[in-house]
Amino acid sequence: MVGLIIRDRDTGVTKVDMTMFISQTVGSIDTNGQNGAIQIPAPPVGRTSFFTVSPLVDLQVEKGKRPGVILNGTSLSWAYSYNTAGWGFFSANCRIYYGYY
């Protein structure tokens, strides 16, 4: 296996081992504050898909809400859900990054 390994000179303890699976971002999608879904590429054999959600607006503490995201095979879907009895809540525009590790 090719990679980088950094060990402590005195103890020989491995500090960094970049021969392990490192995450690879494949793409991203902006939610535009709306529910939605997309198809994403399947990860290479032996790898696992992942996603992460980053807000593109100020969430103003608890008022801006991120979507709930579900990754099922090659289907990535998201939906906003919050208590509408209150005031001031909004569906925050977010970017969902997806990839594999």
Side-chain angles (χ1 to χ4, degrees):
M1 183 178 288
V2 177
L4 170 71
I5 298 175
I6 299 174
R7 293 188 176 94
D8 183 284
R9 181 182 302 195
D10 299 325
T11 64
V13 173
T14 300
K15 298 290 186 178
V16 175
D17 184 347
M18 295 187 71
T19 61
M20 295 182 268
F21 291 120
I22 304 296
S23 65
Q24 174 69 48
T25 300
V26 174
S28 65
I29 183 77
D30 290 350
T31 66
N32 296 315
Q34 302 290 321
N35 298 340
I38 60 170
Q39 290 299 122
I40 63 172
V45 175
R47 300 296 184 106
T48 302
S49 295
F50 78 92
F51 67 86
T52 185
V53 180
S54 298
L56 297 176
V57 296
D58 182 1
L59 297 181
Q60 300 178 7
V61 186
E62 75 281 350
K63 293 179 183 175
K65 299 300 181 182
R66 295 179 188 160
V69 181
I70 297 173
L71 177 57
N72 186 3
T74 60
S75 178
L76 180 73
S77 60
W78 60 94
Y80 290 89
S81 175
Y82 43 86
N83 182 354
T84 58
W87 60 272
F89 294 114
F90 67 94
S91 299
N93 185 21
C94 294
R95 183 165 292 146
I96 302 172
Y97 294 94
Y98 54 89
Y100 61 85
Y101 63 91

